[in-house]
Amino acid sequence: MSNVDVIIVGGGIGGLSTAFALARLGLKVQVLEQAPEFGEVGAGLQLAPNCTRILDDYGLLDKAKSLGVVPERMVMRDAIDGSELTSLDLRDLERTYGYPYMVIHRSDLHGLFLEACRTAGVELLTHQRVTAYAHAEGNATVVTEDGTTWVAPLVIAADGLHSVARKLLVDDEPVSSSYVAYRGTVPIPELTRPVDLSEVVVYVGPRCHFVHYGLRGGDLLNQVAVFESPKALAGLEDWGTPDELDTAFAATCDDVRAGMPHMWRDKWWRMFDRDPISTWVQGRIALLGDAAHPPLQYMAQGAIMAIEDGWVLAEHLKRLRAGDGAPDWDGALAAYEAVRPEHCRRVVLTARAWGELWHLGGRAREQRNLLLRHRAIDDYSFTDWVYGPTALFPEDEPPMFEPIPLATADLIVSNS
Ligand code: FAD
């Protein structure tokens, strides 16, 4: 009989952060990762106050800040003419929410959690691809590719967008957005144009956008270029290729086009999400992170939601422990499932709407720009429901921001 309390399938940011959250409760946690090594592919991650609040609770915030950058402003610009549309003062945002908005290299955040897991005694196993799940009385089992069966009172599937465990709960497929992301990091001395590293900048344009911000204390510039692929819309298999990148950004402003030669051209990320589901738990098997709620990345909340999931589950396990310390697995899973799916449903759907807003062209783009230029920069009504404290109970979930229809833009502007 195994003496493991929790098996976590998947050692991404969701799996490792949850492993740490549970190990610090004194639980014996085992992580099964399919890859030969623990690691993250990609470049930067933006971490909003709803994440840095949790990092602080974990005692990891100061280290994260030392590895990343705490910018002063987030600026949205029009990708065609380069003009500023709106901004967030991130120092004021930190005063408002009590925790900073920061940016960090994914591998640095992942490495931070990996180290924390090692220190906390998590058993970290690689080359373990899980192919099947099953229920038993009072526990759950997983089977790995080599036929080994692993058992624990709780199994958490943090196995990403193509989750095997999700099939237990729903017969769905990832939804293609027909958008693709290119990434690239550039050492600052190699830049051919000046960039203000105190800013996170997003340029929004017709069917495309471009993001850049500093990483690693300002040694690197992180760039993300996202566009709608005509080949994807035409149903072609070979979509999102570098020739499409160049065409998509050909009409953008000088600053955006200056970033293109620095994008990695040998790898790109086709962007998928999934329709939200409200059931994440079956018996003692629970979905977490992208396995449960993969978003389009426009709200920069995907990794954050995964970190929040683990924190919420751990808080309920802590709260519901019996006098002898025995975990109330079923109670904690019920409390987790009562609060997280609804929050993540809102984020996934808002991210889709956000993408539509960013990528408008023609008249709608002008209306959007008018609205954004008239937004008060100290108006936090559209971030309160996301950046405030992570809710532990459904009644603590703040009301969601309702966007103003674009058609009212002219009216607002003409009356102001
Ligand atoms: P994953 O990172 O996918 O990890 C899953 C892990 O499970 C992997 O290690 C995988 O190898 C392993 N695995 C899979 N199947 C098995 C199996 N059968 N057996 C064993 N192991 C398995 N989020 C933010 O919060 N902020 C941002 O700024 C941000 N920017 C983004 C920019 C882009 C361009 C993209 C594409 C995403 C962005 N995201 C951002 C989203 C974020 O990257 C993801 O939501 C997050 O990494 C999901 O983490 P996860 O641990 O749930 O899943």
Side-chain angles (χ1 to χ4, degrees), residues 154-186:
L154 174 61
V155 169
I156 296 174
D159 51 346
L161 174 69
H162 301 286
S163 169
V164 173
R166 188 176 168 109
K167 292 184 177 42
L168 298 172
L169 294 152
V170 59
D171 181 20
D172 70 348
E173 292 295 331
V175 177
S176 171
S177 67
S178 298
Y179 276 74
V180 59
Y182 278 68
R183 290 159 155 162
T185 51
V186 202

PDB file of all heavy atoms in Angstrom, residues 154-186:
ATOM      1  N   LEU A 154      -5.733  11.007  -3.164  1.00  0.00           N
ATOM      2  CA  LEU A 154      -6.119  12.093  -4.057  1.00  0.00           C
ATOM      3  C   LEU A 154      -5.190  12.112  -5.268  1.00  0.00           C
ATOM      4  O   LEU A 154      -3.967  12.021  -5.114  1.00  0.00           O
ATOM      5  CB  LEU A 154      -6.009  13.444  -3.318  1.00  0.00           C
ATOM      6  CG  LEU A 154      -6.231  14.710  -4.148  1.00  0.00           C
ATOM      7  CD1 LEU A 154      -7.632  14.737  -4.760  1.00  0.00           C
ATOM      8  CD2 LEU A 154      -6.024  15.960  -3.286  1.00  0.00           C
ATOM      9  N   VAL A 155      -5.788  12.222  -6.459  1.00  0.00           N
ATOM     10  CA  VAL A 155      -5.006  12.381  -7.691  1.00  0.00           C
ATOM     11  C   VAL A 155      -5.407  13.714  -8.319  1.00  0.00           C
ATOM     12  O   VAL A 155      -6.602  13.968  -8.538  1.00  0.00           O
ATOM     13  CB  VAL A 155      -5.266  11.229  -8.685  1.00  0.00           C
ATOM     14  CG1 VAL A 155      -4.668  11.563 -10.056  1.00  0.00           C
ATOM     15  CG2 VAL A 155      -4.675   9.923  -8.166  1.00  0.00           C
ATOM     16  N   ILE A 156      -4.419  14.556  -8.585  1.00  0.00           N
ATOM     17  CA  ILE A 156      -4.678  15.842  -9.245  1.00  0.00           C
ATOM     18  C   ILE A 156      -4.094  15.766 -10.648  1.00  0.00           C
ATOM     19  O   ILE A 156      -2.896  15.504 -10.824  1.00  0.00           O
ATOM     20  CB  ILE A 156      -4.032  16.999  -8.458  1.00  0.00           C
ATOM     21  CG1 ILE A 156      -4.699  17.104  -7.094  1.00  0.00           C
ATOM     22  CG2 ILE A 156      -4.154  18.311  -9.233  1.00  0.00           C
ATOM     23  CD1 ILE A 156      -4.054  18.109  -6.167  1.00  0.00           C
ATOM     24  N   ALA A 157      -4.962  15.999 -11.635  1.00  0.00           N
ATOM     25  CA  ALA A 157      -4.498  15.971 -13.028  1.00  0.00           C
ATOM     26  C   ALA A 157      -4.200  17.391 -13.470  1.00  0.00           C
ATOM     27  O   ALA A 157      -5.105  18.181 -13.727  1.00  0.00           O
ATOM     28  CB  ALA A 157      -5.567  15.341 -13.914  1.00  0.00           C
ATOM     29  N   ALA A 158      -2.914  17.720 -13.517  1.00  0.00           N
ATOM     30  CA  ALA A 158      -2.463  19.036 -13.985  1.00  0.00           C
ATOM     31  C   ALA A 158      -1.704  18.805 -15.283  1.00  0.00           C
ATOM     32  O   ALA A 158      -0.569  19.247 -15.452  1.00  0.00           O
ATOM     33  CB  ALA A 158      -1.576  19.685 -12.923  1.00  0.00           C
ATOM     34  N   ASP A 159      -2.375  18.081 -16.209  1.00  0.00           N
ATOM     35  CA  ASP A 159      -1.677  17.596 -17.400  1.00  0.00           C
ATOM     36  C   ASP A 159      -1.970  18.431 -18.652  1.00  0.00           C
ATOM     37  O   ASP A 159      -1.821  17.951 -19.771  1.00  0.00           O
ATOM     38  CB  ASP A 159      -1.971  16.092 -17.632  1.00  0.00           C
ATOM     39  CG  ASP A 159      -3.452  15.743 -17.630  1.00  0.00           C
ATOM     40  OD1 ASP A 159      -4.260  16.579 -17.203  1.00  0.00           O
ATOM     41  OD2 ASP A 159      -3.799  14.626 -18.072  1.00  0.00           O
ATOM     42  N   GLY A 160      -2.366  19.681 -18.444  1.00  0.00           N
ATOM     43  CA  GLY A 160      -2.346  20.642 -19.535  1.00  0.00           C
ATOM     44  C   GLY A 160      -3.499  20.544 -20.527  1.00  0.00           C
ATOM     45  O   GLY A 160      -4.478  19.813 -20.328  1.00  0.00           O
ATOM     46  N   LEU A 161      -3.356  21.326 -21.608  1.00  0.00           N
ATOM     47  CA  LEU A 161      -4.415  21.477 -22.618  1.00  0.00           C
ATOM     48  C   LEU A 161      -4.932  20.139 -23.141  1.00  0.00           C
ATOM     49  O   LEU A 161      -6.120  19.965 -23.379  1.00  0.00           O
ATOM     50  CB  LEU A 161      -3.866  22.321 -23.785  1.00  0.00           C
ATOM     51  CG  LEU A 161      -4.759  22.481 -25.000  1.00  0.00           C
ATOM     52  CD1 LEU A 161      -5.983  23.347 -24.669  1.00  0.00           C
ATOM     53  CD2 LEU A 161      -3.992  23.101 -26.178  1.00  0.00           C
ATOM     54  N   HIS A 162      -4.027  19.174 -23.358  1.00  0.00           N
ATOM     55  CA  HIS A 162      -4.429  17.884 -23.937  1.00  0.00           C
ATOM     56  C   HIS A 162      -4.621  16.813 -22.860  1.00  0.00           C
ATOM     57  O   HIS A 162      -4.341  15.631 -23.072  1.00  0.00           O
ATOM     58  CB  HIS A 162      -3.400  17.442 -24.988  1.00  0.00           C
ATOM     59  CG  HIS A 162      -3.267  18.435 -26.098  1.00  0.00           C
ATOM     60  ND1 HIS A 162      -4.225  18.587 -27.071  1.00  0.00           N
ATOM     61  CD2 HIS A 162      -2.312  19.363 -26.363  1.00  0.00           C
ATOM     62  CE1 HIS A 162      -3.868  19.564 -27.900  1.00  0.00           C
ATOM     63  NE2 HIS A 162      -2.712  20.043 -27.496  1.00  0.00           N
ATOM     64  N   SER A 163      -5.106  17.239 -21.724  1.00  0.00           N
ATOM     65  CA  SER A 163      -5.295  16.371 -20.556  1.00  0.00           C
ATOM     66  C   SER A 163      -5.959  15.027 -20.882  1.00  0.00           C
ATOM     67  O   SER A 163      -7.011  14.967 -21.525  1.00  0.00           O
ATOM     68  CB  SER A 163      -6.175  17.132 -19.549  1.00  0.00           C
ATOM     69  OG  SER A 163      -6.596  16.278 -18.516  1.00  0.00           O
ATOM     70  N   VAL A 164      -5.336  13.961 -20.402  1.00  0.00           N
ATOM     71  CA  VAL A 164      -5.935  12.620 -20.518  1.00  0.00           C
ATOM     72  C   VAL A 164      -7.096  12.501 -19.521  1.00  0.00           C
ATOM     73  O   VAL A 164      -8.159  11.956 -19.830  1.00  0.00           O
ATOM     74  CB  VAL A 164      -4.867  11.541 -20.220  1.00  0.00           C
ATOM     75  CG1 VAL A 164      -5.493  10.157 -20.156  1.00  0.00           C
ATOM     76  CG2 VAL A 164      -3.757  11.579 -21.270  1.00  0.00           C
ATOM     77  N   ALA A 165      -6.906  13.077 -18.332  1.00  0.00           N
ATOM     78  CA  ALA A 165      -7.919  12.937 -17.273  1.00  0.00           C
ATOM     79  C   ALA A 165      -9.215  13.645 -17.627  1.00  0.00           C
ATOM     80  O   ALA A 165     -10.301  13.213 -17.225  1.00  0.00           O
ATOM     81  CB  ALA A 165      -7.360  13.505 -15.971  1.00  0.00           C
ATOM     82  N   ARG A 166      -9.111  14.735 -18.382  1.00  0.00           N
ATOM     83  CA  ARG A 166     -10.328  15.497 -18.705  1.00  0.00           C
ATOM     84  C   ARG A 166     -11.372  14.629 -19.409  1.00  0.00           C
ATOM     85  O   ARG A 166     -12.566  14.852 -19.273  1.00  0.00           O
ATOM     86  CB  ARG A 166      -9.942  16.706 -19.561  1.00  0.00           C
ATOM     87  CG  ARG A 166     -11.083  17.694 -19.798  1.00  0.00           C
ATOM     88  CD  ARG A 166     -10.592  18.894 -20.565  1.00  0.00           C
ATOM     89  NE  ARG A 166     -11.689  19.703 -21.036  1.00  0.00           N
ATOM     90  CZ  ARG A 166     -12.015  20.915 -20.561  1.00  0.00           C
ATOM     91  NH1 ARG A 166     -11.315  21.458 -19.582  1.00  0.00           N
ATOM     92  NH2 ARG A 166     -13.016  21.593 -21.059  1.00  0.00           N
ATOM     93  N   LYS A 167     -10.885  13.630 -20.132  1.00  0.00           N
ATOM     94  CA  LYS A 167     -11.815  12.738 -20.864  1.00  0.00           C
ATOM     95  C   LYS A 167     -12.744  11.984 -19.914  1.00  0.00           C
ATOM     96  O   LYS A 167     -13.786  11.479 -20.319  1.00  0.00           O
ATOM     97  CB  LYS A 167     -11.018  11.744 -21.721  1.00  0.00           C
ATOM     98  CG  LYS A 167     -10.289  12.393 -22.877  1.00  0.00           C
ATOM     99  CD  LYS A 167      -9.618  11.340 -23.738  1.00  0.00           C
ATOM    100  CE  LYS A 167      -8.922  11.893 -24.967  1.00  0.00           C
ATOM    101  NZ  LYS A 167      -8.156  13.117 -24.779  1.00  0.00           N
ATOM    102  N   LEU A 168     -12.347  11.848 -18.630  1.00  0.00           N
ATOM    103  CA  LEU A 168     -13.225  11.202 -17.648  1.00  0.00           C
ATOM    104  C   LEU A 168     -14.474  12.036 -17.414  1.00  0.00           C
ATOM    105  O   LEU A 168     -15.522  11.522 -17.028  1.00  0.00           O
ATOM    106  CB  LEU A 168     -12.513  11.067 -16.294  1.00  0.00           C
ATOM    107  CG  LEU A 168     -11.250  10.232 -16.202  1.00  0.00           C
ATOM    108  CD1 LEU A 168     -10.627  10.412 -14.831  1.00  0.00           C
ATOM    109  CD2 LEU A 168     -11.591   8.768 -16.450  1.00  0.00           C
ATOM    110  N   LEU A 169     -14.331  13.359 -17.616  1.00  0.00           N
ATOM    111  CA  LEU A 169     -15.402  14.275 -17.234  1.00  0.00           C
ATOM    112  C   LEU A 169     -16.189  14.815 -18.400  1.00  0.00           C
ATOM    113  O   LEU A 169     -17.360  15.161 -18.261  1.00  0.00           O
ATOM    114  CB  LEU A 169     -14.786  15.459 -16.456  1.00  0.00           C
ATOM    115  CG  LEU A 169     -14.198  15.035 -15.117  1.00  0.00           C
ATOM    116  CD1 LEU A 169     -13.069  15.924 -14.694  1.00  0.00           C
ATOM    117  CD2 LEU A 169     -15.296  15.029 -14.068  1.00  0.00           C
ATOM    118  N   VAL A 170     -15.560  14.946 -19.550  1.00  0.00           N
ATOM    119  CA  VAL A 170     -16.250  15.567 -20.678  1.00  0.00           C
ATOM    120  C   VAL A 170     -15.623  15.073 -21.985  1.00  0.00           C
ATOM    121  O   VAL A 170     -14.415  14.855 -22.058  1.00  0.00           O
ATOM    122  CB  VAL A 170     -16.179  17.114 -20.569  1.00  0.00           C
ATOM    123  CG1 VAL A 170     -14.757  17.631 -20.545  1.00  0.00           C
ATOM    124  CG2 VAL A 170     -16.940  17.807 -21.699  1.00  0.00           C
ATOM    125  N   ASP A 171     -16.475  14.936 -22.974  1.00  0.00           N
ATOM    126  CA  ASP A 171     -16.000  14.508 -24.286  1.00  0.00           C
ATOM    127  C   ASP A 171     -15.871  15.762 -25.160  1.00  0.00           C
ATOM    128  O   ASP A 171     -16.748  16.054 -25.966  1.00  0.00           O
ATOM    129  CB  ASP A 171     -17.010  13.520 -24.880  1.00  0.00           C
ATOM    130  CG  ASP A 171     -16.572  13.022 -26.244  1.00  0.00           C
ATOM    131  OD1 ASP A 171     -15.367  13.131 -26.544  1.00  0.00           O
ATOM    132  OD2 ASP A 171     -17.442  12.553 -27.006  1.00  0.00           O
ATOM    133  N   ASP A 172     -14.807  16.526 -24.954  1.00  0.00           N
ATOM    134  CA  ASP A 172     -14.645  17.748 -25.747  1.00  0.00           C
ATOM    135  C   ASP A 172     -13.256  17.793 -26.367  1.00  0.00           C
ATOM    136  O   ASP A 172     -12.418  16.927 -26.107  1.00  0.00           O
ATOM    137  CB  ASP A 172     -14.904  19.001 -24.899  1.00  0.00           C
ATOM    138  CG  ASP A 172     -13.817  19.258 -23.855  1.00  0.00           C
ATOM    139  OD1 ASP A 172     -12.970  18.363 -23.623  1.00  0.00           O
ATOM    140  OD2 ASP A 172     -13.803  20.336 -23.251  1.00  0.00           O
ATOM    141  N   GLU A 173     -13.043  18.804 -27.186  1.00  0.00           N
ATOM    142  CA  GLU A 173     -11.749  18.978 -27.848  1.00  0.00           C
ATOM    143  C   GLU A 173     -11.313  20.422 -27.658  1.00  0.00           C
ATOM    144  O   GLU A 173     -12.152  21.315 -27.480  1.00  0.00           O
ATOM    145  CB  GLU A 173     -11.896  18.720 -29.366  1.00  0.00           C
ATOM    146  CG  GLU A 173     -12.199  17.280 -29.738  1.00  0.00           C
ATOM    147  CD  GLU A 173     -11.076  16.323 -29.391  1.00  0.00           C
ATOM    148  OE1 GLU A 173      -9.894  16.749 -29.383  1.00  0.00           O
ATOM    149  OE2 GLU A 173     -11.378  15.152 -29.094  1.00  0.00           O
ATOM    150  N   PRO A 174      -9.999  20.701 -27.753  1.00  0.00           N
ATOM    151  CA  PRO A 174      -9.559  22.092 -27.743  1.00  0.00           C
ATOM    152  C   PRO A 174     -10.217  22.869 -28.891  1.00  0.00           C
ATOM    153  O   PRO A 174     -10.448  22.319 -29.963  1.00  0.00           O
ATOM    154  CB  PRO A 174      -8.047  21.986 -27.947  1.00  0.00           C
ATOM    155  CG  PRO A 174      -7.695  20.608 -27.461  1.00  0.00           C
ATOM    156  CD  PRO A 174      -8.878  19.755 -27.805  1.00  0.00           C
ATOM    157  N   VAL A 175     -10.521  24.137 -28.620  1.00  0.00           N
ATOM    158  CA  VAL A 175     -11.160  25.001 -29.618  1.00  0.00           C
ATOM    159  C   VAL A 175     -10.074  25.868 -30.253  1.00  0.00           C
ATOM    160  O   VAL A 175      -9.374  26.616 -29.557  1.00  0.00           O
ATOM    161  CB  VAL A 175     -12.216  25.913 -28.937  1.00  0.00           C
ATOM    162  CG1 VAL A 175     -12.839  26.864 -29.955  1.00  0.00           C
ATOM    163  CG2 VAL A 175     -13.275  25.067 -28.235  1.00  0.00           C
ATOM    164  N   SER A 176      -9.934  25.773 -31.577  1.00  0.00           N
ATOM    165  CA  SER A 176      -8.905  26.583 -32.244  1.00  0.00           C
ATOM    166  C   SER A 176      -9.403  28.009 -32.421  1.00  0.00           C
ATOM    167  O   SER A 176     -10.531  28.236 -32.850  1.00  0.00           O
ATOM    168  CB  SER A 176      -8.588  26.001 -33.623  1.00  0.00           C
ATOM    169  OG  SER A 176      -7.747  26.908 -34.319  1.00  0.00           O
ATOM    170  N   SER A 177      -8.540  28.980 -32.110  1.00  0.00           N
ATOM    171  CA  SER A 177      -8.895  30.395 -32.313  1.00  0.00           C
ATOM    172  C   SER A 177      -8.443  30.880 -33.685  1.00  0.00           C
ATOM    173  O   SER A 177      -8.734  32.014 -34.057  1.00  0.00           O
ATOM    174  CB  SER A 177      -8.227  31.254 -31.244  1.00  0.00           C
ATOM    175  OG  SER A 177      -6.820  31.239 -31.429  1.00  0.00           O
ATOM    176  N   SER A 178      -7.677  30.054 -34.396  1.00  0.00           N
ATOM    177  CA  SER A 178      -7.038  30.429 -35.671  1.00  0.00           C
ATOM    178  C   SER A 178      -5.972  31.507 -35.469  1.00  0.00           C
ATOM    179  O   SER A 178      -5.451  32.057 -36.439  1.00  0.00           O
ATOM    180  CB  SER A 178      -8.054  30.908 -36.708  1.00  0.00           C
ATOM    181  OG  SER A 178      -8.951  29.873 -37.003  1.00  0.00           O
ATOM    182  N   TYR A 179      -5.677  31.831 -34.211  1.00  0.00           N
ATOM    183  CA  TYR A 179      -4.576  32.764 -33.918  1.00  0.00           C
ATOM    184  C   TYR A 179      -3.339  31.960 -33.535  1.00  0.00           C
ATOM    185  O   TYR A 179      -3.441  30.839 -33.022  1.00  0.00           O
ATOM    186  CB  TYR A 179      -4.963  33.717 -32.788  1.00  0.00           C
ATOM    187  CG  TYR A 179      -5.747  34.914 -33.272  1.00  0.00           C
ATOM    188  CD1 TYR A 179      -7.088  34.791 -33.652  1.00  0.00           C
ATOM    189  CD2 TYR A 179      -5.155  36.171 -33.375  1.00  0.00           C
ATOM    190  CE1 TYR A 179      -7.805  35.882 -34.130  1.00  0.00           C
ATOM    191  CE2 TYR A 179      -5.868  37.269 -33.844  1.00  0.00           C
ATOM    192  CZ  TYR A 179      -7.183  37.115 -34.218  1.00  0.00           C
ATOM    193  OH  TYR A 179      -7.893  38.191 -34.691  1.00  0.00           O
ATOM    194  N   VAL A 180      -2.195  32.565 -33.776  1.00  0.00           N
ATOM    195  CA  VAL A 180      -0.932  31.906 -33.455  1.00  0.00           C
ATOM    196  C   VAL A 180      -0.016  32.912 -32.770  1.00  0.00           C
ATOM    197  O   VAL A 180      -0.077  34.109 -33.070  1.00  0.00           O
ATOM    198  CB  VAL A 180      -0.301  31.302 -34.736  1.00  0.00           C
ATOM    199  CG1 VAL A 180      -0.032  32.353 -35.786  1.00  0.00           C
ATOM    200  CG2 VAL A 180       0.959  30.527 -34.441  1.00  0.00           C
ATOM    201  N   ALA A 181       0.783  32.424 -31.827  1.00  0.00           N
ATOM    202  CA  ALA A 181       1.706  33.314 -31.099  1.00  0.00           C
ATOM    203  C   ALA A 181       3.152  32.973 -31.459  1.00  0.00           C
ATOM    204  O   ALA A 181       3.529  31.800 -31.480  1.00  0.00           O
ATOM    205  CB  ALA A 181       1.504  33.157 -29.593  1.00  0.00           C
ATOM    206  N   TYR A 182       3.911  34.009 -31.761  1.00  0.00           N
ATOM    207  CA  TYR A 182       5.363  33.884 -31.873  1.00  0.00           C
ATOM    208  C   TYR A 182       5.966  34.551 -30.648  1.00  0.00           C
ATOM    209  O   TYR A 182       5.435  35.549 -30.164  1.00  0.00           O
ATOM    210  CB  TYR A 182       5.883  34.583 -33.141  1.00  0.00           C
ATOM    211  CG  TYR A 182       5.747  33.724 -34.375  1.00  0.00           C
ATOM    212  CD1 TYR A 182       4.503  33.419 -34.895  1.00  0.00           C
ATOM    213  CD2 TYR A 182       6.882  33.205 -35.007  1.00  0.00           C
ATOM    214  CE1 TYR A 182       4.378  32.612 -36.009  1.00  0.00           C
ATOM    215  CE2 TYR A 182       6.771  32.395 -36.128  1.00  0.00           C
ATOM    216  CZ  TYR A 182       5.509  32.097 -36.633  1.00  0.00           C
ATOM    217  OH  TYR A 182       5.385  31.299 -37.738  1.00  0.00           O
ATOM    218  N   ARG A 183       7.062  33.985 -30.180  1.00  0.00           N
ATOM    219  CA  ARG A 183       7.714  34.572 -29.016  1.00  0.00           C
ATOM    220  C   ARG A 183       9.163  34.856 -29.349  1.00  0.00           C
ATOM    221  O   ARG A 183       9.703  34.324 -30.331  1.00  0.00           O
ATOM    222  CB  ARG A 183       7.660  33.614 -27.828  1.00  0.00           C
ATOM    223  CG  ARG A 183       6.274  33.443 -27.251  1.00  0.00           C
ATOM    224  CD  ARG A 183       6.210  32.157 -26.484  1.00  0.00           C
ATOM    225  NE  ARG A 183       5.198  32.154 -25.446  1.00  0.00           N
ATOM    226  CZ  ARG A 183       4.717  31.060 -24.885  1.00  0.00           C
ATOM    227  NH1 ARG A 183       5.150  29.885 -25.261  1.00  0.00           N
ATOM    228  NH2 ARG A 183       3.815  31.128 -23.952  1.00  0.00           N
ATOM    229  N   GLY A 184       9.816  35.626 -28.528  1.00  0.00           N
ATOM    230  CA  GLY A 184      11.243  35.867 -28.712  1.00  0.00           C
ATOM    231  C   GLY A 184      11.779  36.653 -27.541  1.00  0.00           C
ATOM    232  O   GLY A 184      11.081  37.512 -26.995  1.00  0.00           O
ATOM    233  N   THR A 185      12.991  36.336 -27.111  1.00  0.00           N
ATOM    234  CA  THR A 185      13.655  37.168 -26.104  1.00  0.00           C
ATOM    235  C   THR A 185      14.933  37.718 -26.722  1.00  0.00           C
ATOM    236  O   THR A 185      15.637  37.009 -27.443  1.00  0.00           O
ATOM    237  CB  THR A 185      14.010  36.376 -24.829  1.00  0.00           C
ATOM    238  OG1 THR A 185      14.708  35.185 -25.203  1.00  0.00           O
ATOM    239  CG2 THR A 185      12.780  36.016 -24.027  1.00  0.00           C
ATOM    240  N   VAL A 186      15.223  38.984 -26.448  1.00  0.00           N
ATOM    241  CA  VAL A 186      16.384  39.637 -27.041  1.00  0.00           C
ATOM    242  C   VAL A 186      17.238  40.250 -25.940  1.00  0.00           C
ATOM    243  O   VAL A 186      16.705  41.011 -25.118  1.00  0.00           O
ATOM    244  CB  VAL A 186      15.951  40.830 -27.952  1.00  0.00           C
ATOM    245  CG1 VAL A 186      17.026  41.159 -28.955  1.00  0.00           C
ATOM    246  CG2 VAL A 186      14.607  40.614 -28.574  1.00  0.00           C
TER     247      VAL A 186
END
